[in-house]
């Protein structure tokens, strides 16, 4: 298939695009979608045949549609795997219109996308029989102060879509409140901190209620903002069952990542991301090629579920560098393609 | 099931907990004790066995083994 993949940033906060491309490049022709001309993936000839600069999602669907029609005509792309949180609402909302252009997608319904929103996760967690840490939705510092009267520190201060900081006192909670709301708006979520270990699962649902593939890991070392450096595969039946229940109860379509906390007493839901994480190539290397599954679902191919993978496998991320011509950067900036 | 029963021990004396992804470096005696607990042996039975095997007085061993059991509890491996 000729597939366009977004999320080509591969710096200290890597996006999932390059790992998705690495998973697909043996069988498919890959095109890159970038929002910023500095995204490293645009300059990696071994990764993408061509890169197109895309309009920022904040410009709305009309801009995206115009650009997609141009690229479709020029390049003949057959499918898109959007990988970035910021662009997903647009692709999900207009998935039928995009598919009518002859471009295949494999995304959850708008209802399902909303269901795993942080401020609705409490309800979904109850349905999945998993504990969700006590969470308050607030829009003012006064509300924040009220919560701290009945809840002990530390508390997590979270944006509804992005960012989360741990606060150990009211001053740092207020600072985080402003930091997040200034950048990402409201509501702000205040969540009780769960003691335990973070475990993660990446999976793909077929849209008919079946979990087609999944791999669970524990991050061993992370960057300051929680991005994985090293990790190890885990076999956690409870987490796998939660993933199966999540997919069967919602008929989830496409990739997702479960972020949970586990301790001796319980397992807690922290977040459900409606996309691949940037460590998805770990699963591919273990024989569970989830990006390829997504393409197979788009093409309505029969897929045998793959929920088993080797134990004791370690993931190691490292940095790399290369030299390219600055004229390439200038070309991408001026012509919006490379 | 106690968490300790789920630990996988390897030849390098590393105990790995596959459900949580945690690993613990053991010394050879600690590995023997963990293996014995996995075989459902009681603290007294372990004490008896090690005392005979290493020719150490039970009273002396009791303190060390009790310390080790306490450590296992701290790590959440024993309840």
């Amino acid at each position: 298939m000729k597939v366009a993949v977004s999320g080509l940033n591969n710096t200290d906060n890597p996006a999932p695009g390059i790992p998705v491309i690495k998973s697909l490049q043996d069988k498919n022709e890959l095109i890159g979608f970038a929002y910023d001309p500095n995204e490293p993936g645009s300059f990696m000839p071994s990764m993408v045949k061509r890169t197109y600069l895309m309009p920022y999602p904040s410009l709305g669907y009309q801009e995206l549609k115009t650009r997609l029609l141009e690229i479709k005509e020029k390049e003949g792309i057959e499918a898109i795997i959007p990988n970035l949180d910021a662009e997903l609402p647009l692709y999900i909302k207009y998935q039928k219109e995009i598919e009518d252009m002859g471009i295949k997608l494999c995304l959850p319904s708008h209802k399902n996308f909303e269901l795993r929103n942080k401020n609705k996760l409490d309800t979904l967690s109850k349905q999945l029989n998993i504990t969700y840490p006590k969470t308050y939705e607030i829009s003012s510092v006064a509300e924040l102060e009220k919560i701290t009267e009945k809840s002990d520190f530390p508390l997590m201060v979270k944006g509804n879509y992005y960012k989360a900081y741990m606060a150990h006192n009211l001053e740092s909670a207020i600072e985080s409140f402003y930091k997040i709301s200034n950048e990402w708006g409201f509501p702000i979520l205040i969540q009780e901190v769960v003691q335990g270990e973070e475990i993660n699962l990446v999976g793909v649902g077929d849209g008919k209620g079946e979990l087609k593939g999944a791999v669970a890991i524990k991050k061993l070392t992370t960057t300051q903002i929680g991005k994985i450096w090293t990790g190890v595969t885990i076999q956690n039946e409870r987490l796998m069952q939660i993933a199966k229940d999540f997919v069967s109860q919602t008929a989830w379509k496409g990739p997702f990542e479960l972020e949970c906390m586990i301790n001796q007493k319980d397992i807690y839901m922290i977040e459900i991301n409606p996309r691949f994480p940037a460590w998805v190539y770990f699963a591919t290397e273990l024989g569970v090629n989830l990006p390829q599954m997504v393409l197979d679902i788009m093409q309505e191919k029969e897929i045998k579920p793959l929920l088993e993978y080797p134990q004791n496998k370690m993931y190691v991320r490292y940095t790399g560098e290369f030299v390219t011509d600055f004229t390439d950067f200038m070309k991408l900036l001026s012509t919006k393609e490379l | 099931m106690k968490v300790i029963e789920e630990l996988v021990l390897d030849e390098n004396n590393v105990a790995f907990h596959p459900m949580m992804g945690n690993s613990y470096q053991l010394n050879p005696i600690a590995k023997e004790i963990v293996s014995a607990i996995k075989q459902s042996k009681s603290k007294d039975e372990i004490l008896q066995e090690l005392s005979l095997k290493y020719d150490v007085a039970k009273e002396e061993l009791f303190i060390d083994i009790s310390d080790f059991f306490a450590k296992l509890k701290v790590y959440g491996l024993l309840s």
Side-chain angles (χ1 to χ4, degrees), chain A residues 197 218 234-236 264 312, chain B residues 3 16 18-22 76:
Chain A
E197 313 273 355
K218 183 191 173 192
I234 59 167
Q235 307 284 331
N236 191 300
Q264 304 308 330
N312 277 330
Chain B
V3 175
F16 179 67
M19 274 179 75
M20 306 268 279
N22 291 336

